[in-house]
Amino acid sequence: MKSGGCLGKKSKAIVGNGGQESDCGWCKGKWGVSWQITPRVLSEAMNSTDPGVSERAFTAMMTMRKIDVATIEQAIADN
């Protein structure tokens, strides 16, 4: 996924139809199936060959319910 707007739409579609929001971008649909709404920037950071990038992205993600793309991007940029 590319943007926070797209993330919000996906999350609302799951949570707004009887689901539940959880930590780190996870949502559970009304039938009990869990989904993690993950932006591309987070996936790329977690797969980075630079362990500092993946560590900073992971640490930032662990403080969130919904994934905040701008905060992830800031964490990646911080050295």
Side-chain angles (χ1 to χ4, degrees), residues 28-78:
K28 186 179 288 188
K30 65 181 175 181
W31 293 288
V33 177
S34 293
W35 303 84
Q36 187 177 34
I37 311 299
T38 308
R40 181 174 292 139
V41 68
L42 179 58
S43 294
E44 290 172 354
M46 296 303 293
N47 291 308
S48 174
T49 58
D50 179 343
V53 168
S54 56
E55 182 179 341
R56 290 190 303 274
F58 180 80
T59 300
M61 177 193 70
M62 292 302 291
T63 66
M64 302 174 186
R65 280 187 81 73
K66 289 182 184 176
I67 303 299
D68 181 332
V69 172
T71 302
I72 295 292
E73 290 173 335
Q74 183 62 47
I76 291 167
D78 289 345

